Amino acid sequence: MPDFIKTYVRVVDRFNRRVGIFAMYLIFAMFAILLYSSLSKAFHLPANWTLESAQFTMAA
């Protein structure tokens, strides 16, 4: 296989790994937002921004 194809595959693989790690941390951020939403509703102080923020985080 030519070297430029191997280099291209390595670059794309490295980029995809970074995007995957970033997406993993976004999922943790979404969990934290939804946990805060649940806790605020339990104390009868619901925050209106939490559901929309969780949706934006999931879309990202």
Side-chain angles (χ1 to χ4, degrees):
M1 192 175 296
D3 286 338
F4 71 91
I5 293 177
K6 290 179 183 178
T7 303
Y8 174 74
V9 169
R10 271 191 236 112
V11 168
V12 170
D13 190 39
R14 195 175 310 134
F15 176 74
N16 287 338
R17 185 169 301 278
R18 289 181 182 158
V19 169
I21 289 171
F22 180 71
M24 178 184 67
Y25 288 123
L26 280 179
I27 289 174
F28 290 138
M30 185 187 65
F31 286 160
I33 292 169
L34 291 173
L35 178 65
Y36 177 77
S37 176
S38 298
L39 292 175
S40 67
K41 286 179 185 177
F43 291 111
H44 303 292
L45 300 168
N48 295 330
W49 59 269
T50 55
L51 181 61
E52 190 171 346
S53 295
Q55 290 172 346
F56 282 141
T57 306
M58 181 59 117

